[in-house]
Amino acid sequence: MYDLILISPINTQLGRFKRFVPRSVPIGVGILAGFLRKQGFSVKIIDHELIDININTIKDILEQCKKPCIVGISVMTANVASGYKTAAIIKSVDKEAIVIFGGIHPTVMPDEILQNGNIDFIVKGEAEYTFLELIRQIKGGSIERDKLENIGFVEDGKIVYTKTSTKMVDVNEVPMFPYDMYDPSHYNLGFILTSRGCPFDCIFCSQRVITKRSYRYISSERVIEELDYLINDLKQPNITFFDDYFTGNKKRVFELCEMIQKKGFHKKACFGVQTRGDSINKELMKAMRAANFNSLMFGVETASENLMKVINKAETVQENIDAIKLAKEMGFATEATFIFGFPTETFDDRFKALSLANEIGIDRARFNNATPYPGTAMYEMVKDKIKKEPMWINFSSAGAVTSGIRKKYPLPYVPDECSEKELEGTILLANLLFYLNFTNLKKLFNPGQSGSGKWFEVSKKEMLSIGTLIDLSLLAGTVLIRSLNYLLSSKNCRRFFFRGIRQ
């Protein structure tokens, strides 16, 4: 019997791409589960991506939980609809079960969550300390409001919030990620998280809602201990650092590179990280290559220096170009993300982004739609122009790419300078045009690829199976039909495509 259950809701917005997108380990609930386990609580993790959530499965899950049964659900805006449905099923099975929502969406939209009727508590911000105290009080049989921080609940029909705490979690008090709680046959466990937060404040990033601009990192000794476990116990040959800002402290990176080599890890595994163009140089790259870091991902976002200022990226396009070119010279595989649909963006801005991706030799690229998630500066900037479907079901940064032939939902935001069809079409066509290059296409289908930008995965064994070939054919057909539709119905989509073909 478990003391509590932690659930990670499903992302329902991937469409036919779902079969080929690498399954993400639910890291948030994992970190919390490991922390609670260290405090003496037994925790069961439920990943909705693996388990169909219905009345029967919820009955089975709740039967494994000690009374009072506590169920924590970690939600972002993109999957809050799934979270609401899960909460409703839980309450239909056991009205006495205590449902707690945490994560980004409850932090920025707490009233909305508590008005739902199926959620008993919400936890705002980083949850380790506050959720722990709440669990202790619930298990103890009484709620002492004065001892709770960053908690919301409904009392006598009114929404109540406890005092606010700005204390940030000491990441060195959080134990190593509980890899043992995940079945390696379902997940790629080749990842590590060695820092938390980011000192920058890009208008589209909702992560700062949780971590603020506080950048903290785990001690180098702890990182080496975890890498030892991943490499020597779990035999992981490719390890991705999931840090938002791995190169935020160059001295620490140099130290880690030296320690990795002393341990001989560089002979057994390769490593990939996410970085910024203004935060990495030749000296640092040289040290990283010596330690067998072989993949760098850059959030390039745009090819427009003006848009860089609009999105408050605090770096320049040229800094990204210089860093990527240098990384290629140093032997790194390079990956980049681009975002279309920022305020004031033009057709030429979007085409320049595609041209840049091709010109500087990026190995893997992804083009997404700008999404004004609540809690971001972009949300406040364009609030009056947002199209919001019930339960935020249309809020997905990949929605322009993954929607089906019969589009169900509108994009949440479209800049004044273009139509929704043009924006959605140029995003899909940018991804298509980039991978029409045979060299780029081979890298997309490479099952051995590593790095943060990996977004398409199928093993060599599965690649030749009948089921995979059918799914790939259906996916290709969907993309082709959608592309033809945009080309036939939008003049600017035709301009974008034929200019891209001529490059």
Side-chain angles (χ1 to χ4, degrees):
M1 298 289 281
Y2 296 93
D3 291 311
L4 70 154
I5 309 294
L6 294 180
I7 297 179
S8 176
I10 194 170
N11 183 341
T12 61
Q13 301 162 339
L14 294 176
R16 293 200 181 278
F17 282 86
K18 182 176 175 61
R19 167 70 175 77
F20 302 102
V21 173
R23 182 179 291 119
S24 298
V25 174
I27 293 177
V29 295
I31 292 171
L32 194 55
F35 182 79
L36 293 171
R37 184 168 67 175
K38 183 181 178 182
Q39 304 301 320
F41 291 97
S42 56
V43 185
K44 183 176 180 64
I45 296 173
I46 301 296
D47 185 356
H48 194 173
E49 296 283 352
L50 297 178
I51 299 173
D52 183 27
I53 298 290
N54 55 47
I55 289 178
N56 291 328
T57 54
I58 288 296
K59 282 181 179 179
D60 291 340
I61 291 167
L62 296 186
E63 285 175 357
Q64 300 176 55
C65 188
K66 300 174 185 176
K67 303 296 182 180
C69 187
I70 301 172
V71 182
I73 304 178
S74 177
V75 292
M76 300 179 292
T77 301
N79 65 7
V80 70
S82 175
Y84 282 142
K85 292 175 183 177
T86 299
I89 296 173
I90 291 169
K91 287 295 188 179
S92 73
V93 172
D94 182 359
K95 292 182 179 180
E96 301 304 315
I98 298 171
V99 178
I100 305 170
F101 268 31
I104 294 173
H105 198 76
T107 298
V108 297
M109 306 296 288
D111 286 3
E112 174 199 304
I113 300 289
L114 291 171
Q115 288 166 0
N116 175 267
N118 292 314
I119 293 93
D120 299 287
F121 295 92
I122 61 103
V123 179
K124 297 192 287 184
E126 294 184 329
E128 283 92 340
Y129 300 148
T130 51
F131 189 61
L132 173 63
E133 179 59 30
L134 178 60
I135 296 302
R136 283 173 171 166
Q137 291 193 19
I138 293 172
K139 291 295 185 182
S142 64
I143 297 296
E144 299 179 61
R145 188 186 305 176
D146 292 343
K147 293 183 179 181
L148 292 174
E149 297 176 331
N150 299 341
I151 302 295
F153 55 94
V154 176
E155 185 177 68
D156 299 327
K158 296 182 179 180
I159 294 176
V160 177
Y161 294 107
T162 63
K163 59 187 176 184
T164 299
S165 172
T166 58
K167 180 182 179 182
M168 305 304 289
V169 171
D170 181 346
V171 292
N172 284 293
E173 291 182 358
V174 179
M176 185 174 79
F177 188 84
Y179 300 97
D180 60 295
M181 298 181 78
Y182 294 90
D183 185 345
S185 67
H186 294 309
Y187 303 98
N188 178 356
L189 297 180
F191 70 91
I192 186 171
L193 186 64
T194 73
S195 65
R196 191 179 295 192
C198 174
F200 299 97
D201 202 15
C202 306
I203 68 167
F204 55 86
C205 181
S206 58
Q207 285 295 330
R208 301 296 79 75
V209 169
I210 299 292
T211 62
K212 308 302 180 188
R213 293 176 68 180
S214 171
Y215 177 63
R216 294 147 287 161
Y217 47 87
I218 295 168
S219 70
S220 298
E221 290 74 21
R222 265 277 311 275
V223 174
I224 293 300
E225 179 185 351
E226 193 160 339
L227 286 176
D228 193 347
Y229 177 76
L230 287 169
I231 295 168
N232 292 321
D233 289 8
L234 297 187
K235 309 299 181 184
Q236 294 294 327
N238 303 298
I239 297 171
T240 299
F241 285 71
F242 278 173
D243 304 45
D244 288 338
Y245 187 38
F246 179 75
T247 54
N249 184 314
K250 292 184 177 63
K251 180 180 178 181
R252 172 179 179 260
V253 178
F254 279 119
E255 182 179 68
L256 283 174
C257 289
E258 184 178 346
M259 295 173 77
I260 285 171
Q261 292 178 81
K262 283 183 178 179
K263 287 286 187 177
F265 295 161
H266 64 304
K267 298 177 181 178
K268 299 179 180 180
C270 58
F271 310 98
V273 305
Q274 178 173 306
T275 186
R276 286 170 52 101
D278 64 349
S279 302
I280 193 165
N281 55 33
K282 187 171 185 177
E283 186 181 10
L284 192 60
M285 287 188 194
K286 185 177 180 181
M288 293 173 69
R289 284 299 292 130
N292 207 19
F293 284 80
N294 68 350
S295 176
L296 299 178
M297 178 179 174
F298 297 84
V300 179
E301 321 309 1
T302 179
S304 163
E305 296 289 7
N306 180 61
L307 281 178
M308 277 293 208
K309 296 174 184 176
V310 171
I311 66 177
N312 198 31
K313 197 69 164 53
E315 66 176 343
T316 67
V317 175
Q318 191 60 49
E319 284 172 327
N320 277 316
I321 292 172
D322 293 343
I324 291 171
K325 286 183 175 179
L326 179 59
K328 296 292 292 181
E329 291 174 8
M330 299 287 289
F332 286 96
T334 56
E335 311 163 12
T337 56
F338 295 86
I339 302 176
F340 288 1
F342 287 125
T344 75
E345 183 183 273
T346 66
F347 173 90
D348 285 339
D349 290 332
R350 290 189 288 280
F351 189 78
K352 286 177 182 176
L354 173 62
S355 298
L356 179 64
N358 286 317
E359 288 168 6
I360 59 179
I362 293 168
D363 296 293
R364 294 191 291 272
R366 187 167 68 244
F367 300 82
N368 290 333
N369 49 280
T371 305
Y373 290 111
T376 64
M378 184 177 172
Y379 180 83
E380 298 300 325
M381 289 171 63
V382 302
K383 188 185 296 184
D384 296 337
K385 300 177 181 179
I386 289 175
K387 295 179 181 178
K388 173 187 170 294
E389 292 292 297
M391 295 191 290
W392 309 85
I393 195 66
N394 62 321
F395 273 62
S396 168
S397 59
V401 176
T402 60
S403 63
I405 296 172
R406 295 181 179 179
K407 183 184 173 187
K408 293 182 179 180
Y409 308 110
L411 293 179
Y413 170 73
V414 178
D416 295 334
E417 290 74 16
C418 72
S419 68
E420 181 172 352
K421 179 163 286 188
E422 177 188 330
L423 176 60
E424 196 169 51
T426 51
I427 293 170
L428 180 65
L429 291 170
N431 283 285
L432 180 63
L433 286 164
F434 183 82
Y435 287 107
L436 281 178
N437 179 305
F438 185 66
T439 300
N440 293 343
L441 188 63
K442 282 197 302 181
K443 293 170 183 173
L444 178 66
F445 279 88
N446 177 11
Q449 67 185 358
S450 62
S452 303
K454 184 178 179 181
W455 64 278
F456 194 97
E457 180 177 60
V458 59
S459 68
K460 289 181 179 178
K461 181 179 180 181
E462 292 176 318
M463 180 64 77
L464 299 178
S465 71
I466 294 176
T468 297
L469 293 175
I470 291 173
D471 287 338
L472 272 173
S473 299
L474 291 171
L475 174 59
T478 299
V479 171
L480 178 61
I481 292 170
R482 290 186 63 215
S483 299
L484 288 173
N485 178 51
Y486 291 125
L487 292 174
L488 291 172
S489 60
S490 169
K491 178 181 177 181
N492 277 342
C493 284
R494 289 195 294 275
R495 284 177 59 206
F496 190 92
F497 181 77
F498 288 114
R499 283 178 63 180
I501 285 291
R502 289 195 295 269
Q503 280 190 336

